[in-house]
Amino acid sequence: MYVMLEYSFEKYKLHSKEEEVEKNLVPRTTVIKGVLLQHTIQALVFFLLLKMTGADSAGQPSSIIVIAIQFIIAMLVLDTYQYFSHRYMHHNKFLYRHFHSYHHRLVVPYSFGALYSHQLDGLLFDTIGASLAILLSGMSPRTSIYFSCFTNIKVIDDHCGMMMPGNPFHIFFWNTTAFHDTHHQLHGSKYNFSQPFFIMWDKIMGTYMPYTLEKRAEGGFEARLKREIEKDD
């Protein structure tokens, strides 16, 4: 059954199993341990945040319109924070070498490695960013849980390595699995820093690099930066 599922998904993958084994610099067991630790740290920080702000007390439920506005504000705050902190992590050699490079040990990303990172990198980049988005948008505890789940699902999709047809994230957002995959490749680490929702900051700041999605002869897709295609030509 597993083999059949693996084969059926092969035609949507951005990388083969062989590429994952060859290019990734960290075993899956280490990734799983790191992700579990990261989730534990996030849960503790959010719990303390609710306690310190008094936001854990019961209140009137928000309307759908208010929740939608809060989601949009939180998405913009999170994208802004993550773009500039992410870009700085790459440009500061010390921070990249000792912290952010952990995440880029997954040259071929996969879903359950989405939050694999050094603990300090995860705290500064993901946990603080999400906390700021929740606080500045004025979300209730219940809405913040919805937003956190939505964001985590989006981040997992960004790293899943598959371009599935009908994926709603690929319909409503330009920041897709393929877009983030180009950033994880060795030739794309200076481009496409935006995550997890929009690509506006890359376009505004001149770090957006267009890419094409090409079908591979052996099956699946390949996301290629246009700059690399021009070099080949």
Side-chain angles (χ1 to χ4, degrees):
M1 184 67 178
Y2 175 79
V3 175
M4 289 177 63
L5 285 172
E6 185 80 10
Y7 178 76
S8 62
F9 287 136
E10 200 68 35
K11 58 186 176 182
Y12 305 121
K13 286 186 174 182
L14 293 171
H15 300 278
S16 65
K17 187 71 176 178
E18 291 72 25
E19 281 184 285
E20 179 189 326
V21 173
E22 178 187 342
K23 293 182 178 181
N24 284 352
L25 305 175
V26 59
R28 287 192 170 199
T29 51
T30 303
V31 171
I32 292 171
K33 291 176 184 177
V35 170
L36 289 174
L37 178 59
Q38 175 68 7
H39 277 296
T40 302
I41 293 171
Q42 279 192 352
L44 288 172
V45 170
F46 289 147
F47 177 77
L48 291 172
L49 180 66
L50 293 176
K51 286 294 182 182
M52 290 171 64
T53 59
D56 59 333
S57 57
Q60 292 295 322
S62 302
S63 68
I64 295 297
I65 294 175
V66 170
I67 291 174
I69 293 171
Q70 289 174 335
F71 256 64
I72 292 170
I73 293 172
M75 289 161 71
L76 291 172
V77 170
L78 183 58
D79 264 39
T80 301
Y81 177 87
Q82 291 212 339
Y83 173 82
F84 288 100
S85 58
H86 188 192
R87 184 175 176 181
Y88 187 69
M89 283 283 186
H90 275 269
H91 285 273
N92 186 300
K93 293 181 180 179
F94 177 84
L95 291 178
Y96 183 82
R97 184 184 305 114
H98 295 284
F99 302 109
H100 191 59
S101 63
Y102 278 62
H103 182 66
H104 281 273
R105 291 175 181 177
L106 293 178
V107 179
V108 176
Y110 44 77
S111 56
F112 58 85
L115 288 181
Y116 175 70
S117 62
H118 187 281
Q119 289 74 46
L120 184 60
D121 183 29
L123 178 66
L124 294 174
F125 187 55
D126 296 312
T127 309
I128 291 180
S131 299
L132 283 173
I134 289 168
L135 285 172
L136 294 177
S137 63
M139 288 180 172
S140 67
R142 180 177 296 179
T143 304
S144 70
I145 291 171
Y146 296 154
F147 179 72
S148 296
C149 291
F150 177 67
T151 302
N152 275 323
I153 293 169
K154 177 66 172 66
V155 171
I156 289 168
D157 183 75
D158 289 344
H159 291 83
C160 75
M162 290 195 292
M163 294 298 291
M164 298 287 287
N167 185 332
F169 288 126
H170 297 171
I171 295 171
F172 293 105
F173 299 101
W174 287 350
N175 198 323
T176 64
T177 307
F179 174 86
H180 193 63
D181 184 82
T182 61
H183 174 73
H184 267 264
Q185 304 315 305
L186 297 177
H187 52 257
S189 60
K190 294 182 179 180
Y191 305 98
N192 298 348
F193 298 106
S194 294
Q195 63 181 94
F197 300 110
F198 310 110
I199 61 173
M200 59 181 183
W201 283 115
D202 273 309
K203 291 204 168 187
I204 292 170
M205 301 302 294
T207 53
Y208 174 72
M209 179 59 68
Y211 65 91
T212 61
L213 199 59
E214 302 176 356
K215 281 194 173 184
R216 294 183 306 202
E218 64 274 21
F221 296 96
E222 180 182 7
R224 298 188 65 196
L225 292 174
K226 286 189 175 180
R227 188 189 69 163
E228 297 301 313
I229 296 173
E230 291 169 358
K231 281 184 179 180
D232 292 344
D233 293 341

